[in-house]
Amino acid sequence: MVKIFSHWFSWRSLIQMIFDLSFIIVGMLIAFMWISSGLPINHSHLLLFAAILGVTMLIVNGWLGFYQRIHNRTVSESRARAVLSLYLAVPLAYAVFALLPVTDISREFAQLSAMSAVFGMLVNRVSASHRNSSTLVSRRILIFGAGSQALSVKRALAKSDPSAEIIGFIPSPNEEAHVVPETQILSRSKTLTDTAIALRANEIVVALSERRGGSMPLRELLDCKLHGIRVMDLASHFEQTLGQIRLDSLYAGWLIFGDGFRQGTLRTVIKRLFDIVFASILIILAMPVMLATGILIVAENGFPLFYRQERVGLNGRLFNVIKFRSMRRDAEKDGKPIWAKAQDDRVTKVGKFIRKLRIDELPQLFSVLKGDMSLVGPRPERPFFVDQLTKEIPFYAVRHSVKPGVTGWAQVRYHYGATVEDSAEKLQYDLYYVKNHSLFLDMVVLFETVGVVLTGKGAH
């Protein structure tokens, strides 16, 4: 639990958790008073089940980020997480309750009251996470640095967390050019520690373009940390604020010595079982849609129905990806790969429709069963573009340390990309996924993908 709330924990979060727990207990008791007449229900057992369900919801909600004071999710993404929380927490609570020597609570009543109470709580949680940021307790952030990196922190916070208050910038002695507003630059007459304490800073972000030559006051930063002030480097700040690992603040040592990037055997086995089960279910459910799509493609533009394309997978291994054909048969008649683009005139009428709803991606589920792909991971790219991007974008090859996915963190966080610049932006989200991937993150991505598909976000 400590790890779940370590970054965003506050007394406000604790109050939210207590409210959620009481919401479920009171909701189930109200349901009991209204509809339990004549049902063989034991009050103490009902209260016990409500407590188990409430604690389970707190854990699941914490994992899904509902107690984060800082986030940049859209309302649809929060709703997707709420649905995921419902699907996870209720069965888990029943599983725990079934292990106890309690049998005289009505299963039908428990299901009805639990679903209604949890649904109400999740509606409140989604609403609370998107209320006006002025109701939130402000983060008081002191930035060490006054150059371009410090300015990028200011812009990122303005975009992702308007409640964050930048109380000032302290320039490094080695910084020659100051690009942040002069009115926000603080004097160096006091030590960094004294300045942070006097201004009641609760977080310091080290945003230096140049770290060599004694530019970082390590002793003062350590003193700040010992006084309970959080100290973060630039890469960690962007990772936790934006859900991405920024290339302009990334260096090899941070990747090597930092946390994350775990590819253990247990994680690999669980992810593989998850892929097989869910891909099989999705293939069965999508079979009528795939059959109808095949008929429409042939009717408009003839065969072939599918197209195969060589892509780069895990550890740089090549494999053939299979998709429904959405372009004309002569889309690349000269044999040279071409970036897809918005309003691409090579796309057929049926192709436009199936691309908008991502139906053209469905055959890739068979690649998941085969083991070439995973349900969630960085999208696979063609060797021609991989060679180009690896030369132009630092750390691009890191994304090949996990299996490519049918959908991914970059796909639900960034619009459709068709340039080198777009690929660099998406790589920042891919690096975040490679560093932090887990079963829960995979499930969050899948549910948010549903929202992306339903809204047609980013489709071309």
Side-chain angles (χ1 to χ4, degrees):
M1 293 290 288
V2 174
K3 184 177 180 181
I4 296 172
F5 305 110
S6 59
H7 175 50
W8 290 283
F9 179 79
S10 64
W11 287 110
R12 180 177 177 275
S13 298
L14 181 60
I15 293 173
Q16 291 176 347
M17 293 163 61
I18 294 173
F19 178 80
D20 285 351
L21 183 62
S22 63
F23 194 106
I24 291 178
I25 294 175
V26 172
M28 294 188 69
L29 290 177
I30 291 175
F32 168 76
M33 289 187 293
W34 280 359
I35 65 174
S36 65
S37 178
L39 294 178
I41 299 176
N42 183 297
H43 292 70
S44 61
H45 292 172
L46 175 63
L47 192 61
L48 174 62
F49 176 72
I52 293 173
L53 178 62
V55 171
T56 305
M57 287 297 303
L58 294 185
I59 295 173
V60 173
N61 284 354
W63 253 313
L64 295 177
F66 273 116
Y67 302 110
Q68 292 176 2
R69 188 162 52 85
I70 309 149
H71 70 83
N72 61 343
R73 299 186 301 270
T74 64
V75 175
S76 62
E77 289 169 346
S78 292
R79 287 172 182 164
R81 291 176 187 238
V83 174
L84 175 57
S85 180
L86 181 67
Y87 275 100
L88 289 175
V90 175
L92 287 174
Y94 278 126
V96 173
F97 191 75
L99 297 176
L100 302 176
V102 177
T103 58
D104 59 348
I105 184 172
S106 168
R107 182 179 300 274
E108 292 77 11
F109 170 76
Q111 290 173 341
L112 177 61
S113 58
M115 294 290 283
S116 59
V118 169
F119 178 77
M121 186 274 287
L122 288 175
V123 169
N124 174 73
R125 181 58 44 232
V126 172
S127 173
S129 65
H130 289 275
R131 286 174 190 154
N132 192 305
S133 60
S134 63
T135 64
L136 302 176
V137 179
S138 177
R139 298 164 62 202
R140 295 180 61 80
I141 300 175
L142 180 62
I143 299 178
F144 185 72
S148 58
Q149 299 282 40
L151 183 62
S152 69
V153 173
K154 176 180 173 65
R155 290 171 175 170
L157 286 172
K159 178 181 179 181
S160 66
D161 184 23
S163 69
E165 179 185 359
I166 297 178
I167 56 180
F169 299 84
I170 296 183
S172 166
N174 294 351
E175 284 185 317
E176 298 180 357
H178 298 167
V179 298
V180 300
E182 290 291 336
T183 55
Q184 289 188 278
I185 296 179
L186 304 176
S187 170
R188 288 299 309 268
S189 58
K190 297 181 180 179
T191 65
L192 176 61
T193 308
D194 290 339
T195 301
I197 293 174
L199 295 176
R200 304 191 313 279
N202 49 40
E203 187 174 322
I204 296 175
V205 178
V206 179
L208 298 177
S209 303
E210 178 58 62
R211 296 189 174 206
R212 293 174 295 182
S215 59
M216 287 183 61
L218 298 179
R219 178 65 196 187
E220 294 179 53
L221 290 171
L222 177 59
D223 286 341
C224 290
K225 191 168 186 177
L226 294 176
H227 278 83
I229 301 172
R230 189 154 192 230
V231 180
M232 301 181 67
D233 65 359
L234 200 59
S236 298
H237 166 76
F238 282 125
E239 178 186 4
Q240 298 186 14
T241 302
L242 300 179
Q244 61 179 211
I245 296 177
R246 292 281 290 264
L247 296 175
D248 56 6
S249 62
L250 188 60
Y251 53 96
W254 187 84
L255 293 174
I256 296 170
F257 298 112
D259 293 332
F261 297 102
R262 297 183 181 93
Q263 314 285 353
T265 302
L266 180 60
R267 163 63 181 152
T268 301
V269 172
I270 292 176
K271 186 175 178 66
R272 181 61 182 149
L273 292 175
F274 176 82
D275 286 341
I276 293 173
V277 172
F278 276 82
S280 300
I281 293 173
L282 290 173
I283 288 173
I284 294 172
L285 294 176
M287 191 59 69
V289 175
M290 288 194 284
L291 290 174
T293 300
I295 294 172
L296 291 174
I297 291 174
V298 173
E300 180 185 14
N301 200 243
F303 288 98
L305 179 61
F306 303 101
Y307 87 95
R308 290 172 174 80
Q309 205 173 62
E310 196 173 54
R311 300 289 176 99
V312 179
L314 178 64
N315 297 323
R317 185 176 63 86
L318 300 180
F319 72 100
N320 286 321
V321 71
I322 304 174
K323 300 174 69 173
F324 280 119
R325 185 170 59 84
S326 59
M327 291 188 175
R328 301 191 312 266
R329 286 171 287 184
D330 61 348
E332 292 181 346
K333 55 186 177 181
D334 58 356
K336 183 179 179 180
I338 303 173
W339 285 103
K341 56 186 178 182
Q343 307 300 324
D344 199 322
D345 58 7
R346 297 173 298 164
V347 179
T348 63
K349 293 180 180 178
V350 173
K352 290 180 181 178
F353 176 76
I354 63 176
R355 280 189 167 201
K356 187 175 183 62
L357 296 181
R358 304 301 202 277
I359 295 173
D360 60 321
E361 311 281 0
L362 289 177
Q364 294 177 48
L365 294 173
F366 294 100
S367 296
V368 174
L369 292 182
K370 185 179 177 182
D372 290 331
M373 297 180 66
S374 178
L375 280 175
V376 180
R379 289 291 296 150
E381 193 51 80
R382 302 171 70 174
F384 176 86
F385 295 127
V386 169
D387 291 340
Q388 176 187 0
L389 296 171
T390 302
K391 294 175 183 177
E392 299 187 27
I393 304 176
F395 306 106
Y396 187 82
V398 174
R399 70 197 300 275
H400 298 136
S401 62
V402 298
K403 282 185 181 180
V406 178
T407 185
W409 182 243
Q411 277 60 51
V412 299
R413 307 296 287 183
Y414 189 74
H415 61 76
Y416 190 90
T419 65
V420 173
E421 291 73 21
D422 287 332
S423 295
E425 286 291 329
K426 294 177 74 172
L427 175 63
Q428 296 178 139
Y429 291 104
D430 286 336
L431 289 175
Y432 176 88
Y433 177 81
V434 175
K435 183 176 186 292
N436 299 284
H437 70 100
S438 65
L439 182 60
F440 280 99
L441 182 56
D442 285 356
M443 298 180 77
V444 168
V445 171
L446 288 175
F447 273 81
E448 292 188 2
T449 299
V450 174
V452 171
V453 170
L454 293 179
T455 59
K457 176 184 175 182
H460 289 306

